[in-house]
Amino acid sequence: MPTLNLTRFSFLIHIAVVACLLSPMLAAAAPTWNDDDVPVLPKDELPEKLDIKKIPVGFEKLPVAPKDNPTTLEKAQLGRRLFFDPVLSTNGTVSCASCHQPDHGFASPDTVSVGIGGQKGTRNAPTVLNRGYGKHFSWDGRDESLEAQSLGVLQSKSELGGDTDTVIANIKKDEQYVAAFAKVFSESGEGTGDKYVTVENVTKAIACFERTLNSGNSKVDRFRNDEYDALSRAARQGLWIFESRGGCWKCHNGSNLADEEFHNTGVGFGKKERDLGRAKATQMAEHNFQFKTPTLRDIDHTAPYMHDGSAKTLKDVVEFYNKGGAPDDPLLDKDMKPLNLTEEEVGFLVEFLKALSSSND
Ligand code: HEC
Ligand code: HEC
């Protein structure tokens, strides 16, 4: 029943707005942007036809979609167009792809993300690859689904501008969009008119597209599938350290190399205004400074690293772990210990990490 859904959705929006007001990070300054400040707008150079059925090598199944938003090709194509389209920002200058750049592993090269009018956020924009396999979203896990996550961005004043009425009105000006929304979201598939262009449906289409952005078939997967030569000797040594002495597997495990849990690795220790991380989402002090373990797939493409972009290279990351993160941090995760790796062994781990990129491209 469309009306019922709509009411429930407005209620959710209401909760989200209240949550935004409470969250100092999201409740950024009033929109005082300068329209001349134009961020990059990457073009859509993905393969013409999306493959929604292909299970990435290294995974056992496709991402599971919520019952009320099943994955279909047409919906994913609609979400794809929206993802690359600056129409999603209040002044038409920023798209999702501005911060999640396809040729940068769907992450941002900026230390912290830069949104509408050049407004700086406080965190690095992570990859959206393989997020369909995720359980919690954003560095602090505050969003419980990809749909909820994209709603948050659409409402964020500092990212896309936050004026969803304007965004919806602008999408409705485009006949192709209106027809595509009606086709995808009307029950019969034959609906007409612009009533299907809603914030809820925008978030559904985008989330559907995100579930198709998957990375597998890395050299490491090929090696594990008995293609022994896929990994260099150095990368094989790195794999061994990753799974033994390095202790990396304790948090970076499973097909996506992420436990989807929250840990304080010591990133940001000593900073004056240290990001509280998970505690921002849960309001519980025991979660202070904990962040979601990110995937390591395509990691070679997504520098800089960590929630604050503080590690510029993979070598910086491995050296950070080699010294045990921040050994003086009283709240450090119990699995963080100095590793005593030699310079050569640090290099092995870096080679291993580089071998986690998809071999498809
Ligand atoms: C101004 C830059 C910017 C724009 C524009 C932007 N994002 Fe993000 N995105 C970020 C940042 C920064 C984070 C991390 C947020 C946090 O942890 O607080 C993020 C997080 C995410 C995540 C969660 C990833 C994870 O590891 O859980 C997803 C999914 C995502 N964005 C999708 C989108 C979509 C879809 C759009 C467009 C509707 C979009 N983003 C627009 C900067 C941006
Ligand atoms: C205690 C859990 C834990 C262990 C052990 C661990 N990691 Fe991490 N890793 C994390 C978390 C959490 C983050 C995000 C930290 C942040 O940004 O504050 C992270 C971030 C990273 C990143 C950056 C990812 C990105 O997208 O920015 C890389 C690379 C990485 N880890 C590799 C490793 C390697 C290699 C090891 C072993 C030497 C290792 N990790 C051990 C939990 C862990």
Side-chain angles (χ1 to χ4, degrees):
M1 291 270 289
T3 10
L4 195 74
N5 280 344
L6 203 69
T7 323
R8 205 177 53 205
F9 195 63
S10 330
F11 177 60
L12 286 178
I13 292 183
H14 185 75
I15 296 183
V17 169
V18 173
C20 281
L21 292 175
L22 292 176
S23 153
M25 197 197 71
L26 287 177
T32 51
W33 60 71
N34 167 6
D35 279 352
D36 300 335
D37 208 338
V38 182
V40 292
L41 284 173
K43 286 205 194 79
D44 179 353
E45 285 167 353
L46 303 180
E48 197 179 327
K49 194 157 178 258
L50 295 175
D51 188 344
I52 63 166
K53 298 241 166 77
K54 192 166 147 213
I55 301 175
V57 176
F59 289 77
E60 280 163 16
K61 51 178 192 180
L62 287 168
V64 179
K67 282 209 176 62
D68 67 347
N69 193 23
T71 305
T72 66
L73 185 58
E74 273 175 336
K75 200 194 291 169
Q77 292 284 17
L78 173 60
R80 167 185 182 165
R81 188 176 165 204
L82 290 165
F83 186 90
F84 284 95
D85 195 338
V87 74
L88 290 189
S89 60
T90 310
N91 66 353
T93 59
V94 193
S95 69
C96 305
S98 302
C99 295
H100 300 284
Q101 303 177 10
D103 63 0
H104 202 78
F106 287 90
S108 168
D110 296 315
T111 306
V112 291
S113 68
V114 182
I116 196 164
Q119 291 184 70
K120 277 199 174 168
T122 54
R123 293 179 180 166
N124 177 258
T127 183
V128 294
L129 286 171
N130 290 355
R131 290 317 296 147
Y133 293 101
K135 282 196 219 139
H136 316 277
F137 304 89
S138 300
W139 284 106
D140 51 20
R142 63 179 177 273
D143 303 309
E144 291 305 317
S145 68
L146 284 172
E147 286 77 0
Q149 199 284 331
S150 46
L151 177 63
V153 197
L154 285 166
Q155 292 173 334
S156 160
K157 286 201 166 45
S158 61
E159 291 182 328
L160 293 173
D163 181 353
T164 49
D165 288 346
T166 300
V167 168
I168 294 300
N170 287 338
I171 297 176
K172 284 183 178 174
K173 288 180 194 155
D174 182 312
E175 281 171 26
Q176 277 180 348
Y177 266 137
V178 171
F181 273 90
K183 190 153 188 219
V184 168
F185 290 106
S186 62
E187 246 164 67
S188 63
E190 287 166 13
T192 50
D194 65 10
K195 67 171 186 255
Y196 301 99
V197 184
T198 62
V199 176
E200 179 178 15
N201 288 342
V202 168
T203 65
K204 281 184 167 173
I206 293 177
C208 175
F209 168 60
E210 290 177 307
R211 292 191 180 95
T212 71
L213 291 176
N214 298 323
S215 164
N217 196 26
S218 68
K219 290 179 179 165
V220 176
D221 300 298
R222 285 159 49 201
F223 175 78
R224 287 190 164 135
N225 287 338
D226 303 328
E227 198 186 315
Y228 194 66
D229 295 340
L231 283 188
S232 66
R233 194 187 73 88
R236 286 201 301 266
Q237 301 268 12
L239 168 61
W240 173 243
I241 298 170
F242 189 89
E243 293 195 333
S244 58
R245 207 147 58 88
C248 317
W249 59 274
K250 289 182 183 163
C251 305
H252 297 281
N253 49 41
S255 295
N256 210 16
L257 298 120
D259 61 1
E260 292 287 319
E261 295 297 335
F262 301 87
H263 306 275
N264 172 15
T265 57
V267 174
F269 177 67
K271 269 195 190 168
K272 239 213 253 134
E273 285 177 35
R274 190 174 176 191
D275 190 329
L276 286 176
R278 181 73 177 143
K280 263 193 185 167
T282 64
Q283 317 297 328
M284 291 167 77
E286 67 201 76
H287 296 146
N288 276 354
F289 316 127
Q290 296 183 354
F291 292 85
K292 177 167 60 64
T293 308
T295 182
L296 299 180
R297 295 237 173 221
D298 276 49
I299 195 76
D300 192 22
H301 303 305
T302 62
Y305 304 104
M306 305 302 190
H307 73 267
D308 56 0
S310 56
K312 302 291 166 225
T313 63
L314 287 174
K315 190 161 180 242
D316 291 350
V317 172
V318 176
E319 281 171 349
F320 172 81
Y321 281 110
N322 200 20
K323 64 178 171 51
D328 296 335
D329 182 346
L331 295 176
L332 195 70
D333 193 282
K334 61 172 179 26
D335 286 327
M336 294 292 297
K337 301 261 157 50
L339 303 175
N340 304 313
L341 302 175
T342 64
E343 180 79 29
E344 193 186 26
E345 289 170 325
V346 167
F348 292 157
L349 261 180
V350 170
E351 286 310 306
F352 164 73
L353 292 170
K354 286 187 183 163
L356 286 167
S357 296
S358 173
S359 314
N360 292 342
D361 44 45

